[in-house]
Amino acid sequence: MIESHLSLLIVVFPLLTAPIVAVLPNGRLPWAISTFVSWSVFAMACVQLFNVSTGNVISYELGGWAPPWGIEYRIDAANALVALIVSGIAAVTLPYALKSIEKEIPQHQHSLFYAAFMLCFTGLLGITQTGDIFNLFVFLEISSLSSYALISLGKKRQALTASYQYLIMGTIGATFFIIGVGLLYVMTGTLNMADLAQRLPEMYEHRTIHTAFAFIMVGFALKLALFPLHLWLPNAYTYAPTVVTIFLAATATKVAVYVMLRVVFSVFGFSFIENTPTDELFLLLCVVGILSMSFYAIYQRDSKRLLAYSSVAQIGYMMLGIGFGSMLGVTATLVHLFNHALMKGALFMAIGAIVYQVGSSRLQHMSGLGKQMPWTFAAIMIGGMSLIGVPGTAGFISKWYLVLAAIEQQQWLIVAVILIGSLLAVIYVWKLIEVLYFKPANETAQNISRQTSVKEAPLMLLIPMWILVLANVYFGFNTELTVGTAEQAVKLLLPGMN
Amino acid sequence: MDYIISHYNYWLVIIIMMAGFYTVISRGNLVKKIAGLNIFQVSVFLLYISIGNVKDGAVPIIEKGVTLYSNPLPHVLILTAIVVGVATTALGLALVIRIKEAYGTIEEDDIHNQDQSL
């Protein structure tokens, strides 16, 4: 019974939790319920991934209406993997949230915070589960609107302007997306993605289809912060409460990359993309994005902002795989999607632990903390190594596949860019480590809200952080789940290329 | 020429869309930006409503003697988008109120200057 409705329950469960949590009194109860829900959704996502891991596709008809008339949830290995990332990150972020938001969000807003968090969670899961392109838009807006609210909860007033900026850019992106969807509907008369994929090939030459494609691409490039449409991201990540940054950095952009994959490969098909300049354009933007954003990251004075710029650069790596359009390339994209969620989650959690103890994420306030907070420091070390792509960490696996894909296509310039990008990552990760470990705790920093000795973060922050850190190491050695699932997904995304 | 006139609603959509989009980009006043965003979204509503219209089609309510109906689906879709638009506007304006309380102004340049001088 539950088994057959699993695909829907994954979305409905957190959706129903949101209003319940919103009316509960502030305290631990909303937190406990949200955490319970996120773990059960995580368990369901695991079962779902297991069900599709052999390469079959689950089709769930909402309300019993047969597709293409009704809304269809269509789960294959790609969706299931992204749903697993989203629910997994939520499941480790929520235990972390209890302590972290005590310091960052006023007490009377706690239950509303969990409600918004659950809505954002619903939206992101909905995007991954649905097979209907308009339904996707609705879930996109559910997740976006709740994330604007979540970002604006940040302590500094810049959080408000960051959220406003994101609202404007995000709404333009989403509106572009529905213009594109509308144009597709005019031409094909359907909104079901599988149905669209069947009807589109005969109209490839039509101008309207090209316009629709352009609108959808630009719209989602805004949502996933592809360089140069990333301007909302650094501010939003810097000023949002740390828990929100962890969750959004590890999931929101990943889900947008997944939509890009879905639209490019499942709906339009790569043979359409090859005849447009899109793939070359992606490669160009990714190359410029990786290099320039890594440079920007080096010069930041705030640790959260540094990681935010690094995120924009990493999105470049993910999009490179789509630009290649080869099986290896898309495998690399999916693997990096998963691994980057783990490394950025771990790093932002470590920064969050420092913010919890010191009250600031600026580098100058963090000097010398590495000795006082050894576990947090070690987490930054390992997370940073994964970000660079040191062998033995998850980051290495995705970089490896990306380089292989570039070599396969004889794109030597891009191989060089990936390697230079990693070297730049060494510099900005080193910057964090230098400040934390090698700089003495200076006097000016002591005066700013710092007690004479800073202790290690509480266990409630350390345990989720180390779950992600250990996952980084684990998936650096055991690639069965990540690469295996990604290869399975690619077979379905790129059918004609075995 | 007939072609241009008979598709006047699409021309209208493009004009409104560009007007709204330009307002969002060019205005420094946060409320005006939201207004521009609204105009931009309204143009999309008009686009959807236009594409649902079938030439000589009747209102999509089943009735004897009528065989040709307009397509109701885009209209239903855009109902959803209108709700989303209302929610976005409400949230945007709520943010503007909070920004006004925090900065004492809703001009983008002033806000930028205040953040820089810190």
Side-chain angles (χ1 to χ4, degrees), chain A residues 109 134 137-138 141 144-146 148-149 152-154 157-161 163-164 167-168 171-172 175-183 185-186 189 191 215, chain B residues 17 21 24 29-31 33-34 37 40-41 44-45 47-48 51 71 73-74 77-78 80-81 84 87-88 91-92 95-96 98-99 102-103 111 114-115 118:
Chain A
Q109 287 173 338
F134 196 84
F137 162 75
V138 175
E141 283 297 36
S144 304
L145 284 170
S146 45
Y148 308 145
S152 71
L153 287 172
R157 62 179 181 179
Q158 284 98 318
L160 297 171
T161 43
S163 168
Y164 181 87
L167 181 135
I168 296 285
T171 308
I172 291 173
T175 311
F176 271 32
F177 180 70
I178 44 168
I179 296 172
V181 170
L183 295 176
Y185 180 75
V186 173
L191 293 166
F215 269 117
Chain B
M17 190 182 287
F21 199 38
V24 179
N29 185 304
L30 299 186
V31 175
K33 264 183 191 293
I34 299 270
L37 201 62
F40 179 54
Q41 286 179 319
V44 182
F45 304 162
L47 175 74
Y48 268 73
I51 63 181
N71 182 359
L73 185 75
L77 292 179
I78 217 58
T80 317
V84 170
T88 312
L91 184 62
L95 278 174
V96 173
R98 292 275 309 278
I99 288 173
Y103 289 86
I111 292 168
Q114 284 189 33
D115 280 342
L118 281 174

Side-chain angles (χ1 to χ4, degrees), chain A residues 233-248:
Chain A
L233 188 140
N235 275 333
Y237 282 15
T238 311
Y239 298 115
T242 317
V243 179
V244 177
T245 312
I246 297 165
F247 187 62
L248 292 183

Side-chain angles (χ1 to χ4, degrees), chain A residues 379-461:
Chain A
I380 292 183
M381 281 274 281
I382 299 174
M385 268 161 34
S386 191
L387 197 60
I388 296 163
V390 176
T393 58
F396 173 70
I397 306 294
S398 32
K399 290 263 169 73
W400 175 254
Y401 273 91
L402 211 53
V403 171
L404 281 185
I407 291 174
E408 185 196 51
Q409 304 252 319
Q410 314 256 315
Q411 301 265 22
W412 304 110
L413 184 73
I414 291 177
V415 175
V417 167
I418 296 170
L419 297 178
I420 294 170
S422 299
L423 289 178
L424 292 171
V426 173
I427 301 178
Y428 60 70
V429 169
W430 174 252
K431 221 182 133 178
L432 277 177
I433 291 173
E434 187 193 11
V435 167
L436 278 169
Y437 200 77
F438 292 101
K439 271 202 181 153
N442 54 355
E443 286 304 309
T444 48
Q446 294 278 2
N447 296 336
I448 300 170
S449 77
R450 164 123 52 119
Q451 292 87 30
T452 38
S453 72
V454 178
K455 286 197 205 72
E456 181 56 89
L459 272 182
M460 282 297 274
L461 301 188

